[in-house]
Amino acid sequence: MREVLCPAERERAEKIRHSDLRLSYLQAKFAFRTILAAHLHVPPRDLQITVSRFGKPLLPAHNIEVSQSHSHDWSAVAVSATGFVGIDIERWRPLANCLQLACHIMTDQEARTFEEIPSELTVPKFLELWTRKEAVLKCAGLGLRQDPRGLHTGWGEPAVQFGGLQYYLNALPVCGQLVGHLASHAPQKIIMRSPAITIGRLAEMPCCRLPNYG
């Protein structure tokens, strides 16, 4: 996996002390380059990827928008040729401090709704809301540099307003313990694709329309 990474990515990987976290980082970067290389028909190591000051990946030599997310041994990449895109995934796991975390990401209205959710659903609903918010913030090019409490998405709205712009949200089909959302500026459907690589657990899904999800 290191062979296809750029020097800066390899250097960052070496600085990650915990072996599991280092492997997760390598897998995510390898998947990112492999998926984009297949889409653009170029060798993975030849991709010139830069990063905005807010952490958004950019490909200056190609007219596409990309977004990446990974959670444990899962990795997801969104590719769009029609506009900005943001993707976020989270693997379901127990969260003992779920209620405490909620106050750091939810608007007052979302918090009131969350308080009425049955206890057995608090974790999946928290992760669902988290991925909705982060997908929008990634699409906006801000990521978590923006306080999530300044963005109201709720759970059921197909489109939300943020910064004077409208963002459409698509829930990714549930796959095992994975929850995720994709955000874009147009009400597009998603093509789900599984790359021919041995890492990650991206499943084959029914095909629709752009943008792509690798």
Side-chain angles (χ1 to χ4, degrees):
M1 289 185 290
R2 287 182 174 87
E3 291 299 317
V4 304
L5 270 58
C6 71
E9 291 168 337
R10 290 197 295 268
E11 182 180 352
R12 181 176 176 184
E14 294 305 321
K15 292 180 179 178
I16 302 174
R17 295 184 179 181
H18 196 287
S19 59
D20 287 346
L21 294 177
R22 183 167 61 252
L23 178 60
S24 177
Y25 173 83
L26 288 170
Q27 289 177 333
K29 292 302 180 183
F30 178 80
F32 187 50
R33 285 183 170 271
T34 301
I35 291 168
L36 291 179
H39 182 80
L40 297 169
H41 307 291
V42 297
R45 69 176 66 188
D46 291 347
L47 286 172
Q48 298 298 313
I49 302 172
T50 62
V51 180
S52 75
R53 64 190 184 97
F54 294 113
K56 181 179 177 63
L58 306 169
L59 282 84
H62 303 279
N63 190 27
I64 61 171
E65 292 292 331
V66 297
S67 182
Q68 180 187 22
S69 180
H70 77 276
S71 181
H72 298 267
D73 54 355
W74 293 82
S75 186
V77 178
V79 183
S80 175
T82 60
F84 296 114
V85 67
I87 195 168
D88 191 59
I89 58 171
E90 290 289 339
R91 192 185 73 174
W92 189 95
R93 72 274 190 192
L95 292 173
N97 59 341
C98 186
L99 294 177
Q100 289 83 356
L101 290 172
C103 68
H104 295 292
I105 74 160
M106 295 184 185
T107 64
D108 291 343
Q109 182 179 343
E110 290 165 344
R112 287 192 295 269
T113 302
F114 190 68
E115 290 172 356
E116 299 175 359
I117 293 175
S119 59
E120 66 272 16
L121 296 179
T122 54
V123 172
K125 285 296 184 182
F126 174 83
L127 294 176
E128 181 183 344
L129 186 73
W130 177 272
T131 59
R132 284 172 64 87
K133 285 178 178 273
E134 190 160 359
V136 170
L137 294 176
K138 285 183 176 181
C139 187
L142 299 173
L144 292 179
R145 274 92 174 158
Q146 167 71 36
D147 188 342
R149 292 172 295 183
L151 165 64
H152 178 86
T153 66
W155 283 267
E157 295 88 337
V160 299
Q161 294 285 330
F162 177 68
L165 298 173
Q166 184 157 267
Y167 294 83
Y168 292 86
L169 281 158
N170 291 88
L172 302 178
V174 175
C175 181
Q177 293 182 314
L178 194 69
V179 60
H181 283 82
L182 185 142
S184 63
H185 287 300
Q188 299 168 336
K189 294 184 179 180
I190 306 168
I191 296 173
M192 303 287 289
R193 291 180 178 168
S194 177
I197 53 179
T198 58
I199 66 168
R201 299 179 181 174
L202 300 179
E204 198 77 40
M205 295 293 179
C207 289
C208 304
R209 245 182 347 111
L210 281 175
N212 296 344
Y213 170 84

